[in-house]
Amino acid sequence: MSRHISRNPLVGLLLAALLAVLCAACSGADRSASSSDCPDDALTCPAPGPSASPSAEPSTTVGEATDGPATSPSPTGKPTAPKGTGSASGTRAPAAKTACASPRDCGFPGADTTGPRIPLTPHKTGYMAVRTNGLVIRGWDITGSLDIYANDVTVIDTKITSDNWWGINLRPGYSGLRVLHSTITAVPGKGPDNGGVDYAVSNMGGSSIEVGWCDVSVFGDALSMGQGNIHDNYVHDIVPFINLGGEWQHTNAVISGGGNTGDLIIRHNTLLNETSLKQGASGSIGLFADTGVVRNVTVDNNWIAGGAYALYGGSTGATGIKVTDNIFSTQFHPHSGGYGVVAHWNHSGAGNVWRNNRMSDGRPIEPEPAP
């Protein structure tokens, strides 16, 4: 057949023209996919699929803190892929319907999918106040802490070893903080709270922040915020301590004190609180009405283990609390938490949903009826 075509000039010309058209179309499609899904400055190329978060990775020079135009989260931006994978976060599986031995077995975050993806440069900053809008800190190995008095600050591909009350703290009146692909830890016994440290990431502002693909350890109340997007993180090895008040610090992997005006989304994280009951264990997720009513919280597709109760549900008055597709692990206690799976769940709260939550051995879970 090929020899016959090669001897017919007309057919050869027609075939060549058709191939040229097809190649041009393919080339254009490739360029379009590249420009939308895999920018030239991306460290990893996200695979097509739904986005887990509204983040769009900023473009900066590795190893620099960059003063530049503010980089605001875009609702259509593509998140970067977790370390060690070739796909973007957000293509999640539902909670296990059969036994699941470990977070890794079920595709939840761990040390291999969180933390920095690039080599780091040491920076002994000590306490560092950030006052530049749009600043991007990338590729730093920080010995110290960051206190944010600015908008749209991004900390990405960075490690923070803190000896302060916090690792990263956003002050009231400021917004747009993103903490991505970073490790936030401390040296046990070296913190200011009688040797302890309190918050890995703290949101004192009145707007949402994003914390994604981070490896978080040691801090007593690791991720502390009323509103934010907490996704694809690995929180583990919380270190208990007796605080300056002479009491065991209550520990939580994620904590919210209520009174929030925005949404809090807790999605696809591994949240471990192995603190013993005698040393101040509170929750893996603690939604507490300490400063106001708890409202508009989504807890979806997480691996949750430990605490006195694994989940504190917001108590009386809590509304818009959606707890769906989570796995409550027995790795520390037979009932996930030392006393049980969930406490202070408001059955009658408007918009409260409890659906398809299971133990790691596959058993379905329902909150106990209100007394």
Side-chain angles (χ1 to χ4, degrees):
M1 178 67 72
S2 61
R3 285 192 298 273
H4 176 72
I5 291 175
S6 65
R7 291 178 183 178
N8 188 328
L10 179 59
V11 174
L13 289 173
L14 290 173
L15 181 60
L18 178 60
L19 288 173
V21 171
L22 289 174
C23 289
C26 291
S27 175
D30 289 345
R31 284 193 298 270
S32 175
S34 174
S35 63
S36 62
D37 290 338
C38 192
D40 292 339
D41 60 354
L43 293 176
T44 55
C45 182
S51 171
S53 70
S55 68
E57 182 176 350
S59 170
T60 65
T61 302
V62 172
E64 293 184 356
T66 305
D67 294 348
T71 307
S72 300
S74 166
T76 58
K78 297 290 193 298
T80 57
K83 181 178 68 175
T85 74
S87 62
S89 172
T91 54
R92 64 180 184 86
K97 296 183 179 180
T98 58
C100 194
S102 70
R104 183 168 185 172
D105 289 343
C106 279
F108 287 96
D112 58 340
T113 61
T114 56
R117 305 159 296 171
I118 60 175
L120 305 180
T121 302
H123 288 264
K124 294 185 178 181
T125 65
Y127 168 84
M128 178 177 173
V130 176
R131 302 182 185 275
T132 303
N133 290 337
L135 184 72
V136 175
I137 296 175
R138 187 177 197 177
W140 285 24
D141 185 349
I142 293 173
T143 302
S145 61
L146 302 178
D147 202 4
I148 311 298
Y149 293 85
N151 297 316
D152 303 316
V153 171
T154 297
V155 180
I156 185 169
D157 289 311
T158 287
K159 180 179 180 181
I160 294 175
T161 304
S162 175
D163 59 359
N164 206 335
W165 299 90
W166 60 78
I168 302 173
N169 180 44
L170 180 67
R171 289 289 177 169
Y174 299 95
S175 63
L177 174 65
R178 290 184 291 170
V179 184
L180 308 174
H181 297 287
S182 294
T183 293
I184 308 165
T185 190
V187 178
K190 299 296 184 181
D193 196 354
N194 199 29
V197 286
D198 293 298
Y199 312 111
V201 181
S202 170
N203 180 10
M204 297 175 68
S207 63
S208 181
I209 71 173
E210 181 183 1
V211 182
W213 302 289
C214 289
D215 184 324
V216 179
S217 61
V218 181
F219 291 87
D221 286 325
L223 302 177
S224 174
M225 62 196 71
Q227 46 270 320
N229 184 2
I230 300 172
H231 64 88
D232 300 286
N233 301 289
Y234 175 42
V235 181
H236 61 102
D237 292 306
I238 292 173
V239 176
F241 62 92
I242 296 175
N243 60 26
L244 289 172
E247 299 176 341
W248 285 104
Q249 166 79 9
H250 289 294
T251 58
N252 299 271
V254 176
I255 184 171
S256 174
N260 55 302
T261 57
D263 294 340
L264 176 60
I265 299 171
I266 307 167
R267 176 169 285 136
H268 198 246
N269 304 277
T270 298
L271 303 174
L272 309 179
N273 185 359
E274 54 268 64
T275 307
S276 74
L277 297 176
K278 294 180 180 180
Q279 293 179 305
S282 186
S284 284
I285 298 177
L287 307 178
F288 303 112
D290 292 337
T291 58
V293 174
V294 179
R295 59 174 70 89
N296 302 332
V297 180
T298 296
V299 180
D300 177 63
N301 191 38
N302 300 279
W303 178 280
I304 303 169
Y309 286 90
L311 170 67
Y312 285 81
S315 195
T316 303
T319 59
I321 314 300
K322 299 178 177 62
V323 182
T324 57
D325 293 322
N326 297 284
I327 296 178
F328 288 86
S329 170
T330 61
Q331 64 193 95
F332 304 130
H333 304 285
H335 303 290
S336 192
Y339 299 129
V341 171
V342 57
H344 303 299
W345 175 255
N346 183 15
H347 288 77
S348 60
N352 290 352
V353 175
W354 181 282
R355 183 178 63 245
N356 196 33
N357 299 293
R358 298 179 179 272
M359 300 295 290
S360 52
D361 60 10
R363 289 174 292 148
I365 305 165
E366 291 294 335
E368 293 185 5

